[in-house]
Amino acid sequence: KLYLAAEVRDPQHEQGGPGPGAAEGDALWVYLDTTGQGSRLSAKLTLAQTTQGPQVWDWQSGFRLPNADVAWRATADGYVYEAAIAWDSLRARDIGAGRQMRMEAGRGFGPSSFLDLSGRDPDSAANLAPLVLVDEASPSSQPVLSTSIAPSSTVALGIALDQSMSITLAQQVSPDRDY
């Protein structure tokens, strides 16, 4: 299974409808290319706490994702999503350590607002960030960056993984669509 956890900082959770209605409110978006080739999306999902409870909506099939367990809880300054999703529900085969994929995650808020990790159009699989599956996390305490850290005036997103030092991602734009 693919295990996801995301802590979202948000002063007020706003979410109305279940299913495709989740796109109109606060939701966590996840895009995957399980082949890693950057040619087409394998999965486009929203995780949302809806009026019918937490759920994962599969935009490619048009219904709730089968074999997905999702939980949501409020925190003092936002909320946390956790999910366990069966690989076969994500159209993935031959899963194991070393497998290369591509992914994007972002926060949807309101009918047409979206903030994602790369700043590029996630509906294009070539724009997704590389992802390599591992059996367990590296013991390294220092993150490895391939790009320099931007001045704070251009910060789009800060990331900290497993209590590690915070990494700042520079604002990026993509020439495609409205991103």
Side-chain angles (χ1 to χ4, degrees):
K1 289 187 176 189
L2 173 66
Y3 295 96
L4 301 168
E7 180 180 343
V8 178
R9 293 197 172 102
D10 184 359
Q12 182 176 353
H13 179 262
E14 296 180 18
Q15 182 52 255
E24 300 295 317
D26 293 338
L28 178 67
W29 288 79
V30 177
Y31 297 77
L32 288 169
D33 167 9
T34 59
T35 69
Q37 297 175 359
S39 57
R40 69 184 267 254
L41 293 176
S42 305
K44 179 180 177 180
L45 313 169
T46 51
L47 284 69
Q49 172 64 17
T50 73
T51 54
Q52 296 178 1
Q55 57 184 232
V56 179
W57 185 258
D58 181 351
W59 290 93
Q60 294 196 312
S61 64
F63 55 83
R64 286 178 72 167
L65 193 68
N67 304 317
D69 296 316
V70 63
W72 181 94
R73 71 176 166 85
T75 63
D77 58 353
Y79 38 92
V80 174
Y81 292 103
E82 291 187 49
I85 303 171
W87 284 113
D88 59 349
S89 295
L90 299 172
R91 300 158 195 85
R93 296 187 178 120
D94 302 321
I95 299 303
R99 173 74 180 264
Q100 294 185 16
M101 298 183 177
R102 299 175 78 82
M103 74 150 313
E104 180 68 282
R107 177 180 170 233
F109 49 100
S112 61
S113 299
F114 186 74
L115 175 66
D116 63 345
L117 294 173
S118 72
R120 297 184 178 135
D121 178 5
D123 283 311
S124 179
N127 290 336
L128 304 184
L131 170 71
V132 178
L133 299 180
V134 296
D135 283 331
E136 60 183 69
S138 167
S140 172
S141 62
Q142 295 297 319
V144 178
L145 297 176
S146 61
T147 60
S148 63
I149 295 175
S152 61
S153 62
T154 62
V155 170
L157 183 63
I159 300 173
L161 298 174
D162 296 329
Q163 311 298 324
S164 66
M165 182 178 79
S166 180
I167 299 170
T168 304
L169 295 181
Q171 181 177 12
Q172 297 182 26
V173 295
S174 178
D176 42 358
R177 297 211 178 183
D178 296 329
Y179 294 85

